Amino acid sequence: MRRLRLLFVFVGVAGILLAGCGNDDAGGGDDGAERPTVVATTNILGDVLRNVAGDQIDVVTIMPVGADPHSFQASAQEANQMREADALIVNGGGFEEGLLDVIEAATDDGTPTFAAISAVETVEFGESSHDHEDDHADEDHADEDHADEDDHDHADGDPHFFTDPARMADAADAMAAFLIEHVDGIDVAALQASADAYVAALEALDAEVEEVLAAIPDDRRVLVTNHEVFGYFADRYGFEVVGTVIPSGSTADGASAGALAELAELVAAEGVPAIFADTSSKNELAETLADEVGGDVAVVELFSESLGDASSGGATYVDMVRTNADRIADALAA
């Protein structure tokens, strides 16, 4: 029944997902009417926004494919686009490190701004990092100790919620409500229908990922990543992040030789078969770690903070999540 449900949902929304591929929308609809312009900071959010809104808005995405959101700086033209938009969609939680001043300026100038992270249950950095012997069977993904949704200050939390498609479904639903409330000139019924279909696709994607990852036995559900980016993925699907090459949620930070040596000892002791690097960041440190461990430790690239190009397997948010699940399963399944 699950496979039939997945087939039904994906066929039903195929047109919507295809609409999410490509670059920024051209101005105006088929009837020549001017559409509202909504700016998204990251290319991941830009793709989600296109699928949520369908043809009701023009989408401008600030960060190009392959950009590192922790170091990206906006040009004067991009900063102006953010200020003049009908609405602004940001990740939030301090994720867009180089854009914080520009986002604040646009919001202060009156641009309605939606932080996607405000719609999800958040986790703190390191919550998925604990002793490998801990039992995952009791894992509760709806921790009541998370911050209240009305509290949008996530400065101390992990901003990488998008590695969990179930949380992204919540964010997409809230994004639609935000657009309906704050953006004039849209067909509310059409936008809601588009959003509902995309949320259903994300929920089906969540079930698909769980099925793909089922091939990985419990004792191999361990992750070593380039930096602290897959905490939400680990929380959702019962993994442990046993170590990170860069012990931070930002690629702007670095790693000491001593820390890498300690991590190499941990990787060897745990028998970790793969180190997961980022497609949007340099992976020299991950390669150095793999060499330090020796043996058959592989370095596997995942789409963590940026989409990929058209032929990469990560050109859309749905594609990147599916590809990541496949690569993790291939690397860790016995």
Side-chain angles (χ1 to χ4, degrees):
M1 290 298 293
R2 173 182 289 176
R3 294 185 181 277
L4 289 175
R5 175 177 177 270
L6 293 178
L7 179 62
F8 174 78
V9 171
F10 285 125
V11 170
V13 300
I16 293 173
L17 296 181
L18 288 173
C21 302
N23 297 319
D24 294 345
D25 300 337
D30 293 338
D31 59 0
E34 194 72 19
R35 295 184 297 195
T37 297
V38 180
V39 171
T41 51
T42 73
N43 51 67
I44 291 174
L45 289 175
D47 178 65
V48 172
L49 176 59
R50 288 184 186 90
N51 284 290
V52 165
D55 61 359
Q56 293 303 302
I57 62 173
D58 290 332
V59 176
V60 174
T61 300
I62 298 299
M63 297 184 194
V65 167
D68 183 340
H70 299 292
S71 59
F72 182 86
Q73 299 283 331
S75 67
Q77 179 183 5
E78 289 163 339
N80 191 55
Q81 287 177 312
M82 294 167 69
R83 288 193 302 269
E84 294 186 351
D86 291 289
L88 176 62
I89 307 296
V90 306
N91 187 93
F95 181 66
E96 300 98 330
E97 295 178 59
L99 297 180
L100 297 181
D101 290 344
V102 180
I103 293 170
E104 182 178 2
T107 304
D108 290 345
D109 283 350
T111 303
T113 303
F114 174 72
I117 199 171
S118 68
V120 307
E121 296 277 358
T122 57
V123 301
E124 300 298 314
F125 280 119
E127 277 191 22
S128 60
S129 302
H130 47 82
D131 292 338
H132 182 46
E133 290 79 14
D134 287 352
D135 185 3
H136 301 289
D138 299 328
E139 204 159 27
D140 182 3
H141 303 307
D143 189 346
E144 294 180 355
D145 291 333
H146 289 305
D148 188 279
E149 286 186 5
D150 292 333
D151 180 7
H152 295 174
D153 183 7
H154 300 278
D156 296 328
D158 185 345
H160 305 92
F161 76 92
F162 45 82
T163 60
D164 172 9
R167 283 178 168 92
M168 183 59 89
D170 291 338
D173 192 45
M175 189 184 299
F178 169 83
L179 294 173
I180 290 170
E181 180 178 356
H182 293 282
V183 179
D184 296 329
I186 60 176
D187 183 329
V188 171
L191 187 145
Q192 191 64 65
S194 178
D196 289 346
Y198 188 62
V199 168
L202 294 180
E203 291 171 345
L205 176 65
D206 175 44
E208 179 187 352
V209 169
E210 187 171 11
E211 186 173 346
V212 168
L213 299 175
I216 305 174
D218 288 346
D219 62 353
R220 293 176 67 89
R221 287 180 172 248
V222 295
L223 300 175
V224 174
T225 59
N226 183 58
H227 69 294
E228 295 185 15
V229 64
F230 279 93
Y232 287 92
F233 175 93
D235 176 68
R236 181 67 181 175
Y237 300 112
F239 283 74
E240 296 174 14
V241 181
V242 297
T244 59
V245 178
I246 300 174
S248 168
S250 171
T251 56
D253 296 326
S256 68
L260 281 177
E262 289 181 5
L263 182 56
E265 292 179 3
L266 175 64
V267 169
E270 293 280 355
V272 176
I275 299 164
F276 295 102
D278 304 327
T279 59
S280 57
S281 303
K282 295 179 180 180
N283 62 7
E284 284 91 344
L285 288 176
E287 296 283 359
T288 299
L289 176 61
D291 291 341
E292 182 76 15
V293 176
D296 297 324
V297 177
V299 175
V300 178
E301 287 192 342
L302 301 178
F303 297 97
S304 59
E305 297 176 323
S306 173
L307 301 179
D309 59 31
S311 61
S312 68
T316 70
Y317 177 71
V318 168
D319 287 342
M320 74 169 265
V321 171
R322 183 180 291 121
T323 296
N324 282 349
D326 288 339
R327 290 180 181 180
I328 291 170
D330 288 344
L332 299 182

